[in-house]
Amino acid sequence: MADVHFVVGPPGGAQRVPAHKYVLAVGSSVFYAMFYGDLAEVKPEIHIPDVEPAAFLIMLKYMYSDEIDLEADTVLATLYAAKKYIVPALAKACVHFLETSLEAKNACVLLSQSRLFEEPELTQRCWEVIDAQAEMALRSEGFCEIDWQTLEVVVTREALNAKEAVVFEAVLSWAEAECKRQGLPATPRNKRHVLGPALYLVRIPTMTLEEFANGAAQSDILTLEETHNIFLWYTAANKPPLDFPLTKRRGLAPQRCSSSSLGVVLAQNLIRFVSDGSCSTFLVWFEHPVQVEQDTFYTASAVLDGSELSYFGQEGLTKVQCGKVTFQFQCSSDSTNGTGVQGGQIPELIFYA
């Protein structure tokens, strides 16, 4: 009894989907205008080449049954469809899904998408992860997939907690990937071309002389004059003018979370340990066990005080079954540095049951 058909997806990969105008019009003002508005057109088929078939079907399932079935591989495409056809509840669910799956290796891609879809809360969450885990984010494959405008804002970012040599390497990797996308040979000249003014956002003079000599100076992307002038800038008393920023990034400012912001503090402990950068863990025992109730969320936090970055875990689980006890984890709004379920300083909980 379908009264409309959609041909969804690009040519060669399109799928024909039957639907009912009334159901779609109730769920979307765009479909209402399309079918019942003053400019409505009667067409046997409606072609939608810019939406993935799987995402379109997820949207239709929500409109027909009020069920939302999201998956990591299709959530971005589903968000695009929900935005295009103004289905706010589905779009909100997509954003929540992305926030809970956010980690350093996909933060740059999600930042690019959140800016495209104008989702400020997701954008802010991406920045928290990128700032805190900048080197991992910059070295991820996803960084090479971002658009030029997002590359520009990332490289401009004051709060990036990364060495400038890592920023430079990431920019080169992005340039090589962009050359491939544009069908260009990945020559130094073409890399400079696709980077454009973004190259001059890298704060090369803030590298150590050794980092510059072993990295940027041998990359072939800088001109001989630029390389020569930067070497003089490091060594000569009369420094030449440079086209690159000369001041170091501010990085992350130290932050402390007071107990008042966490509600009632059930227990806390202060210990000293020395981190060697490895994944070795340290036990933190409370003086007395803390009684926790079922179906209640508690905030566990680690406040670190030290001059060096410490090791942090990745790919944490949102649900863990221990015998008859099930633990569920979610990101806390009290997190000040982007850590949460997927990555952080607390690898396990010790409990009695």
Side-chain angles (χ1 to χ4, degrees):
M1 297 174 65
D3 56 0
V4 65
H5 286 80
F6 297 91
V7 179
V8 186
Q15 182 176 340
R16 193 169 187 266
V17 180
H20 304 82
K21 293 180 180 179
Y22 178 77
V23 176
L24 272 59
V26 169
S28 162
S29 58
V30 175
F31 282 126
Y32 179 87
M34 183 184 299
F35 300 137
Y36 302 110
D38 294 337
L39 301 178
E41 297 182 21
V42 179
K43 295 182 179 179
E45 289 185 343
I46 299 174
H47 290 257
I48 309 177
D50 59 329
V51 175
E52 293 184 11
F56 191 79
L57 290 172
I58 291 172
M59 183 176 69
L60 257 61
K61 181 177 181 179
Y62 169 71
M63 289 181 168
Y64 275 83
S65 65
D66 207 32
E67 295 181 11
I68 298 177
D69 186 14
L70 299 175
E71 297 180 0
D73 293 341
T74 56
V75 63
L76 284 173
T78 305
L79 178 58
Y80 174 79
K83 287 280 189 175
K84 177 175 181 176
Y85 292 103
I86 312 180
V87 187
L90 180 59
K92 184 177 180 180
C94 291
V95 171
H96 178 72
F97 184 96
L98 292 171
E99 287 179 340
T100 57
S101 62
L102 180 62
E103 53 187 325
K105 64 184 180 183
N106 65 8
C108 291
V109 171
L110 295 185
L111 174 68
S112 178
Q113 296 298 319
S114 68
R115 296 177 70 246
L116 174 65
F117 295 132
E118 297 181 345
E119 289 289 344
E121 292 184 6
L122 179 58
T123 299
Q124 178 58 32
R125 184 66 180 156
C126 289
W127 277 127
E128 291 172 359
V129 174
I130 293 170
D131 288 342
Q133 304 175 29
E135 294 195 0
M136 184 175 292
L138 292 171
R139 285 174 169 150
S140 67
E141 293 182 4
F143 179 79
C144 296
E145 300 173 9
I146 63 179
D147 58 280
W148 187 91
Q149 288 76 16
T150 303
L151 172 74
E152 182 182 31
V153 297
V154 170
V155 179
T156 309
R157 186 77 172 175
E158 275 284 341
L160 281 185
N161 216 23
K163 293 182 178 179
E164 205 63 29
V166 175
V167 178
F168 183 80
E169 291 169 5
V171 167
L172 283 189
S173 298
W174 182 90
E176 184 173 348
E178 182 64 15
C179 284
K180 292 180 181 179
R181 285 190 286 269
Q182 296 189 20
L184 300 171
T187 62
R189 181 176 181 179
N190 286 338
K191 289 180 183 178
R192 285 182 68 101
H193 171 70
V194 298
L195 283 172
L199 175 62
Y200 295 100
L201 299 175
V202 183
R203 307 183 184 196
I204 293 177
T206 67
M207 300 179 189
T208 65
L209 176 57
E210 182 179 3
E211 287 173 339
F212 174 71
N214 293 330
Q218 300 184 44
S219 66
D220 293 331
I221 198 171
L222 301 177
T223 66
L224 288 176
E225 182 181 4
E226 288 169 342
T227 303
H228 175 263
N229 286 343
I230 293 173
F231 270 122
L232 286 179
W233 192 89
Y234 281 112
T235 56
N238 186 18
K239 301 183 184 300
L242 299 178
D243 294 326
F244 300 91
L246 305 179
T247 57
K248 287 187 175 182
R249 298 179 192 275
R250 184 181 69 251
L252 285 179
Q255 299 185 57
R256 294 183 181 276
C257 187
S258 65
S259 59
S260 60
S261 68
L262 299 177
V264 178
V265 178
L266 300 180
Q268 59 184 359
N269 192 10
L270 175 65
I271 67 169
R272 288 184 176 274
F273 60 86
V274 178
S275 173
D276 59 3
S278 70
C279 60
S280 300
T281 59
F282 303 85
L283 291 177
V284 178
W285 295 92
F286 299 128
E287 183 177 357
H288 302 288
V290 177
Q291 181 174 335
V292 296
E293 304 295 336
Q294 66 178 1
D295 302 323
T296 304
F297 275 101
Y298 298 85
T299 299
S301 63
V303 180
L304 306 182
D305 185 7
S307 59
E308 298 294 330
L309 289 175
S310 60
Y311 181 91
F312 53 87
Q314 286 285 292
E315 301 181 348
L317 303 175
T318 57
K319 186 176 182 180
V320 178
Q321 184 77 33
C322 297
K324 295 183 178 181
V325 181
T326 302
F327 288 89
Q328 290 183 308
F329 299 93
Q330 65 182 19
C331 296
S332 172
S333 60
D334 293 312
S335 175
T336 59
N337 64 352
T339 56
V341 174
Q342 282 73 33
Q345 299 285 347
I346 305 175
E348 61 182 12
L349 302 176
I350 301 171
F351 70 101
Y352 305 94

